[in-house]
DNA sequence: CTGAAAGCGCTAACAG
DNA sequence: CTGTTAGCGCTTTCAG
């Protein structure tokens, strides 16, 4: 590997001179500049980023810790975060925890080791204390989508309760009385809030709450596939399902379609978060949705604010999701306000 | 930030001692070990990764450079690469180039600066020479899916020509004679090979090649949406389309569905790469497919081999994709061998 | 078994 | 305008 010293030797100058022509835009005589630049070119020198990080005390890198890289929701967040990073000339270290506490811990360990100057995280579980271990003063972070109430930090998320409430209310207005929910991990904030929104919508709609209609799933397609099967085997199956995320919607629809169950004729569906295939599904999907890209953008910007000034009070930003009506609920126009 | 020195001061020992109890599994008396570990715990010390990288001359990090984080194809590759990284106790730096040469260059610049010990890359364009700039001896890399013939390095990819040929042959066997293609970026290896496979299948099937049936798209859904529209406006529109990737399939189907064009009754579709919604689409998709996760796995393993021994000859690994028949081509059983 | 000292590649304060 | 020097936090000889 060619170093600054090699360049210095080649042109017969000191390392500091070389470093300066590299870092100060108008340094040295035309002559030296040209000579140095030429040597750098010839030798193929590139500054060692690690050494630079070391001396500058910052890495120019931020990390994004997410529970599932394969989920388009997080991937869109990543795009948002990345774009902001680029504007700030930062790099993005993407860490996929796979909903696994151990993996998350291992990444957090690296982060504590100053791998990055700050990070954005969507925690695996709200109950897990590992986030506490990292010193916010040293490495600021913002939580996204999933909040961890045991820790004080900025948070950017969705108004999950409202979203779920809105979705279920839509079902009720369409005349449904037997409404089930396939809900996500209950050790996460969105998992809890979306279930809560479902319950409150039923309550306000004076509908009874039926335990067997509440399926505790884990945000995965497989869990939703099984839940759908169980739901339909019930003595009085539901006529509608509110599904807590995009992946579970896929799982649910896979079951329905492979068993020739029609949507919305046999059963109605509302999904939290809109998959990109919403329109070309066998029954175009009605969804509650929010721009994940924008969330990522907001979170990253908040982080960069923190990076330059840690003193302002903690912020909590909630985006309001909107309902897009397609066919999967059996749109009854006169019922919609 | 608390450093080794702080720990040393606290227990009244030298930094080297602390470093040793940390790095050598059986060092020092029980007493000192316990004392040191306790101090580390109390102070909340974590080794500075940057300093470690510096002295060890390696970062324990590899990068994955991909053109689109939002494409599940690359995301599955990422999962594969990541899992192998984890086994080797490496971290994964994910770089999204967004099909943009400038972004790719900026990431490559960082990589040249020794941000990682090696990397896996799916290039933006085959014609671009920027990969040449990085010194393979210093930082080995393996190309994935997209090959750059101007550079000598390991490559893991799909047998794109075979896949396309197989897909189009399937269409021909189903009785189609007017077969169009929506093909991907022609400055990429898979873009070229898939088009080539299409052309050769037509040739071998004694079908004429119709220029207006060849749509030069760019792998994006939008480009395919427009291409589909144009195709259907032709005087004699095709009865079947071979589509060069998953995203373009989405775009194509979006057009068809929104214009009430039935699949396969009005037009047949085969897609290269299988989206996870293949089964729940309004017309379940027939696809040519390969495991992207596995590709990622293979590429990463190859990279780690290189990392420990750069001397063996360059490898080129091609995975053979398989056809999954659903409904979108109008399955005619007796015609399939 | 432990400490002092050198040095990884670079930047920046300090001299000349 | 340029060179010398001192570190950043850590590991690793080399002495004691």
């Amino acid at each position: 590997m060619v170093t600054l010293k090699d360049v210095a030797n080649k042109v017969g100058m000191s390392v500091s001179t070389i470093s300066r022509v590299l870092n100060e835009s108008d340094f040295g005589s035309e002559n030296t500049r040209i000579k140095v630049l030429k040597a750098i070119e010839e030798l193929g020198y590139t500054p060692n980023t690690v050494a630079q990080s070391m001396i500058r005390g910052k890495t120019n890198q931020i990390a994004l810790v997410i529970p599932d890289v394969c989920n388009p929701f997080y991937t869109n967040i990543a795009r948002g975060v990345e774009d902001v990073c680029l504007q700030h000339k930062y790099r993005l270290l993407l860490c996929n925890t796979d909903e696994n506490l151990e993996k998350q811990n291992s990444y957090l360990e690296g982060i504590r080791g100053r791998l990055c100057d700050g990070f954005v995280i969507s925690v695996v579980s709200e109950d897990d204390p590992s986030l506490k271990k990292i010193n916010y003063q040293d490495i600021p972070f913002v939580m996204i989508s999933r909040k961890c109430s045991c820790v004080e930090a900025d948070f950017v998320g969705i108004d999950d309760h409202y979203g779920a409430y809105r979705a279920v209310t839509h079902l009720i207005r369409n005349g449904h009385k037997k409404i089930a929910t396939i809900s996500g991990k209950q050790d996460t904030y969105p998992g809890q809030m979306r279930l809560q929104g479902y319950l409150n919508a039923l309550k306000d709609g004076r509908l009874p709450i039926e335990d067997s209609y509440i399926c505790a799933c884990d945000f995965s397609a497989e869990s939703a596939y099984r839940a759908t099967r169980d739901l339909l085997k019930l003595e009085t199956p539901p006529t509608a399902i509110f599904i807590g995320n995009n992946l579970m919607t896929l799982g649910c629809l896979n079951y329905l379609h492979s068993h020739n169950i029609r949507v919305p004729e046999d059963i109605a569906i509302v999904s939290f978060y809109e998959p990109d295939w919403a329109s070309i599904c066998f029954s175009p999907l009605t969804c509650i949705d929010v721009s994940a890209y924008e969330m990522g953008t907001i979170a990253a910007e908040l982080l960069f604010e923190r990076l330059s000034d840690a003193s302002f009070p903690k912020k909590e930003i909630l985006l309001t999701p909107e309902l897009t009506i397609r066919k999967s609920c059996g749109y009854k126009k006169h019922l919609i306000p």
Side-chain angles (χ1 to χ4, degrees), chain A:
Chain A
M1 198 68 198
V2 27
T3 73
L4 252 201
K5 209 171 164 185
D6 297 323
V7 182
N9 285 149
K10 173 146 185 166
V11 296
M13 291 190 241
S14 74
V15 281
S16 43
T17 306
I18 317 295
S19 170
R20 278 188 280 241
V21 324
L22 239 32
N23 293 307
E24 292 161 37
S25 56
D26 52 340
F27 177 89
S29 63
E30 272 300 297
N31 250 335
T32 38
R33 289 189 65 79
I34 294 175
K35 206 165 138 194
V36 168
L37 261 18
K38 194 167 146 256
I40 286 175
E41 180 69 30
E42 282 173 19
L43 257 34
Y45 166 78
T46 314
N48 183 321
T49 330
V50 176
Q52 286 179 324
S53 298
M54 172 102 147
I55 200 159
R56 296 205 242 250
K58 62 175 209 154
T59 57
N60 264 275
Q61 205 160 269
I62 75 165
L64 173 62
V65 185
I66 52 174
D68 185 3
V69 241
C70 288
N71 186 339
F73 175 69
Y74 292 111
T75 252
N76 280 316
I77 286 180
R79 278 288 314 276
V81 174
E82 195 203 14
D83 281 356
V84 176
C85 279
L86 240 50
Q87 285 167 27
H88 291 256
K89 297 194 187 292
Y90 262 65
R91 282 176 301 270
L92 213 219
L93 188 65
L94 194 94
C95 310
N96 177 42
T97 59
D98 224 3
E99 299 285 12
N100 179 323
L101 274 176
E102 271 182 57
K103 282 194 192 177
Q104 179 177 288
N105 260 312
S106 124
Y107 279 124
L108 249 23
E109 200 55 36
I111 287 172
R112 291 218 311 161
R114 304 212 125 287
L115 256 178
C116 57
D117 301 338
F119 63 103
V120 175
I121 186 171
S122 200
V123 293
V124 167
S125 163
E126 155 151 25
D127 305 333
D128 178 59
S130 42
L131 249 192
K132 275 189 197 166
K133 279 199 247 163
I134 95 105
N135 187 341
Y136 193 86
Q137 308 310 320
D138 288 339
I139 308 165
F141 58 93
V142 0
M143 298 181 288
I144 193 165
S145 175
R146 297 188 185 175
K147 183 173 162 179
C148 192
S149 40
C150 64
V151 136
E152 245 217 75
D154 299 303
F155 173 66
V156 177
I158 305 174
D159 189 338
D160 291 301
H161 183 278
Y162 166 80
Y165 188 95
R166 179 79 187 83
V168 175
T169 302
H170 177 68
L171 254 11
I172 296 174
R173 286 190 186 138
N174 272 14
H176 290 282
K177 296 199 185 318
K178 288 178 286 181
I179 305 173
T181 186
I182 292 181
S183 68
K185 287 170 68 181
Q186 288 303 303
D187 59 347
T188 69
Y189 187 76
Q192 293 162 12
M193 287 300 112
R194 290 174 198 175
L195 178 55
Q196 206 48 248
Y198 160 83
L199 293 172
N200 286 340
L202 288 192
K203 211 179 88 188
D204 291 353
R206 321 239 158 147
L207 256 25
I209 285 159
E210 176 68 62
D211 278 352
S212 57
Y213 283 178
I214 300 173
C215 307
C217 291
D218 62 4
F219 288 133
S220 78
E222 295 70 31
S223 69
Y225 185 94
R226 289 189 299 267
T228 308
R229 180 195 59 203
D230 295 345
L231 240 22
L232 291 169
K233 280 187 180 153
L234 251 28
E235 221 165 298
T236 48
T239 63
I241 313 179
F242 162 61
I243 311 175
N245 85 340
N246 53 339
L247 264 31
M248 296 196 295
T249 298
L250 182 62
C252 172
L253 290 176
N254 260 323
Y255 182 87
L256 297 177
H257 195 50
S258 60
H259 290 76
N260 294 312
I261 295 161
R262 293 166 308 164
V263 177
E265 294 83 351
D266 301 327
I267 196 155
I269 297 287
V270 211
S271 166
F272 206 112
Y273 199 65
E274 174 171 318
D276 54 8
W277 43 265
S279 300
I280 57 159
C281 176
F282 70 88
S283 174
L285 275 182
T286 292
C287 311
I288 268 287
D289 196 42
V290 82
S291 164
Y293 175 88
E294 199 190 331
M295 272 179 69
T297 281
I298 294 172
E301 263 155 11
L302 194 49
L303 181 61
F304 280 108
E305 275 181 60
R306 277 279 165 231
L307 248 21
S308 57
D309 165 28
S311 67
F312 62 89
K314 299 284 179 290
K315 281 190 191 172
E316 181 156 330
I317 299 171
L318 242 45
L319 304 191
T320 304
E322 277 170 26
L323 189 69
T324 303
I325 297 172
R326 294 200 182 79
K327 288 188 179 162
S328 66
C329 296
Y331 179 29
K332 300 209 174 57
K333 199 176 176 190
H334 63 281
L335 291 172
I336 312 300

